[in-house]
Amino acid sequence: MINLLKLLLKILPWLLVVGLLSWMLIQEKMSFSKERITEIETNTILTRVEQLGKMELVKYNFQEVTEIRKIANSIDFKFFKYKPLPDSKGVLISQGSAAGCIDLSKIQLKDVQSSNDTIFISLPSPEICYFKIDLEKSRLYDLQIEYMRQEDRRDFVQELYKVAENQIKSSSLESGILEQTRENAHSVLRPILESISDKTIILRFELDEPTIMNDN
């Protein structure tokens, strides 16, 4: 009996060392496994988000009345002024649209963070992905350019359409299209991502200035 106790006392420290090493190894494997799961999960979410591409979240429709008037040069004869050519004028009543979107393909791995049952995603700033005029629903009125050469007439009309198109962009910004895009991201995009990940999604936006694009 005494010999058995002596033997146990001799091997007990070794048993404790082996047990401690085993416990540390198990903890390391568990930690590595958790990190791998998080990384794989984050990559999966990132891939699914990138597949959504440039997501249109709001669309504004406009009807604009655009007028251009160009005063012709006159010749000053001291006692009176003479215009060899009449003034140019054109009115365009146009319908157009502008869309706000978020380019999800810009999201990188560093923009997706996972913590327990919550995923934090940093989104790029909202964009105006296009603003354009519907040519079929737009009409020219009171066009006074008959005296012009054909090339000058074409340039005048193109300028008129360009001004109207820029009015659509300005009107959409004044109407808060970028703010509406940001709000719709929370109400539309977040439920989609939560259904994909089965986790709570917290969306955050970059602080840089929003981008305005025109795909025309």
Side-chain angles (χ1 to χ4, degrees):
M1 185 66 179
I2 295 175
N3 292 334
L4 181 59
L5 289 175
K6 289 180 178 181
L7 179 61
L8 289 174
L9 290 174
K10 286 182 180 181
I11 66 174
L12 183 59
W14 293 104
L15 291 175
L16 291 174
V17 170
V18 171
L20 180 61
L21 291 175
S22 299
W23 180 81
M24 292 175 62
L25 181 61
I26 292 172
Q27 288 295 317
E28 183 178 354
K29 287 185 176 181
M30 290 178 64
S31 177
F32 177 76
S33 177
K34 289 180 181 179
E35 290 178 358
R36 288 291 296 169
I37 291 174
T38 300
E39 183 178 349
I40 291 173
E41 179 182 84
T42 302
N43 279 319
T44 301
I45 293 298
L46 178 62
T47 300
R48 297 295 294 273
V49 169
E50 287 178 340
Q51 289 174 351
L52 294 175
K54 187 177 291 186
M55 189 171 189
E56 185 177 316
L57 292 168
V58 62
K59 183 178 180 180
Y60 284 4
N61 296 312
F62 297 93
Q63 181 168 334
E64 305 278 355
V65 178
T66 307
E67 179 178 347
I68 291 182
R69 181 187 296 271
K70 292 188 176 183
I71 307 300
N73 294 329
S74 59
I75 302 174
D76 191 352
F77 289 104
K78 292 186 179 180
F79 299 105
F80 67 96
K81 292 183 178 181
Y82 170 70
K83 283 186 178 182
L85 296 174
D87 296 340
S88 307
K89 180 183 177 182
V91 177
L92 174 65
I93 300 179
S94 61
Q95 292 189 28
S97 59
C101 62
I102 296 176
D103 191 352
L104 300 177
S105 64
K106 292 181 178 179
I107 298 177
Q108 303 177 13
L109 185 59
K110 63 180 179 61
D111 299 321
V112 183
Q113 304 293 330
S114 180
S115 175
N116 297 327
D117 294 331
T118 304
I119 296 177
F120 300 88
I121 302 178
S122 179
L123 296 175
S125 298
E127 303 174 353
I128 295 182
C129 43
Y130 68 81
F131 51 95
K132 61 184 180 180
I133 290 177
D134 189 338
L135 298 178
E136 294 184 356
K137 296 180 180 180
S138 302
R139 295 291 182 269
L140 288 166
Y141 294 92
D142 198 16
L143 197 59
Q144 301 176 14
I145 56 174
E146 293 81 4
Y147 68 92
M148 289 184 176
R149 296 179 303 172
Q150 185 175 357
E151 295 81 3
D152 294 335
R153 292 181 185 179
R154 182 193 59 209
D155 293 342
F156 185 90
V157 172
Q158 286 180 349
E159 182 180 356
L160 186 55
Y161 274 97
K162 189 65 178 179
V163 171
E165 191 175 64
N166 288 331
Q167 282 183 332
I168 290 176
K169 180 186 73 173
S170 300
S171 297
S172 64
L173 289 172
E174 292 172 2
S175 300
I177 190 172
L178 297 179
E179 291 77 8
Q180 189 64 53
T181 301
R182 189 179 286 105
E183 292 178 10
N184 286 3
H186 291 284
S187 59
V188 176
L189 179 58
R190 186 164 57 87
I192 294 175
L193 297 177
E194 286 182 341
S195 66
I196 292 174
S197 62
D198 198 26
K199 288 192 173 186
T200 300
I201 298 293
I202 303 297
L203 301 179
R204 298 175 292 195
F205 287 88
E206 295 177 357
L207 298 179
D208 57 344
E209 291 297 322
T211 304
I212 299 177
M213 302 178 63
N214 186 2
D215 292 338
N216 291 343

